[in-house]
Amino acid sequence: RVSQLWDGSAAVRGQSHGRSLSVDVTLECVFSADMDVSGLTQSQRCVARRLVAQRRWAFGPRHQPAAFCFFLPKSEDIPWAHLFELVWESPCMYLRKPALDAPLLVNRQ
């Protein structure tokens, strides 16, 4: 069961034909059912990356094991290769689930 909530912030970089070429994204774990994340440093709670247009960023314990060991220590129980993917298709960012039955909560709903 995945019960993480994420806050994201983004900074857009460069443009070509009115479309942004990349965007800087920072994801922060603000809640974990397994532990109190308030005791973690910001660098332990956050993962950042520059997304290039049309390229997917798979996000999960198999892709970012150093980060997930802090806020999701039981990650081996997750049946998917990743929790979600982020894709930058200017001017929109898309969040894609790994499977139709994968739970994804936004604001705990």
Side-chain angles (χ1 to χ4, degrees):
R1 181 169 168 251
V2 177
S3 58
Q4 310 305 122
L5 296 176
W6 303 95
D7 283 340
S9 61
V12 177
R13 304 277 184 230
Q15 293 207 352
S16 175
H17 305 289
R19 298 212 175 252
S20 301
L21 300 177
S22 66
V23 63
D24 293 334
V25 177
T26 301
L27 299 175
E28 179 179 3
C29 179
V30 297
F31 173 80
S32 172
D34 295 324
M35 66 177 302
D36 179 11
V37 295
S38 66
L40 298 176
T41 66
Q42 185 176 14
S43 64
Q44 292 171 324
R45 292 188 320 265
C46 295
V47 178
R49 182 168 178 176
R50 176 168 290 166
L51 293 179
V52 177
Q54 306 296 323
R55 293 204 182 156
R56 296 175 184 211
W57 178 23
F59 191 78
R62 295 179 192 158
H63 300 281
Q64 294 84 17
F68 275 84
C69 72
F70 291 113
F71 47 79
L72 191 61
K74 299 176 186 175
S75 61
E76 66 276 357
D77 297 339
I78 298 173
W80 307 284
H82 54 273
L83 299 176
F84 58 85
E85 292 179 333
L86 286 178
V87 181
W88 174 246
E89 294 178 11
S90 183
C92 299
M93 184 172 306
Y94 295 93
L95 187 142
R96 295 186 176 143
K97 296 182 355 172
L100 290 175
D101 63 341
L104 183 62
L105 304 175
V106 177
N107 294 330
R108 297 184 183 170
Q109 299 178 18

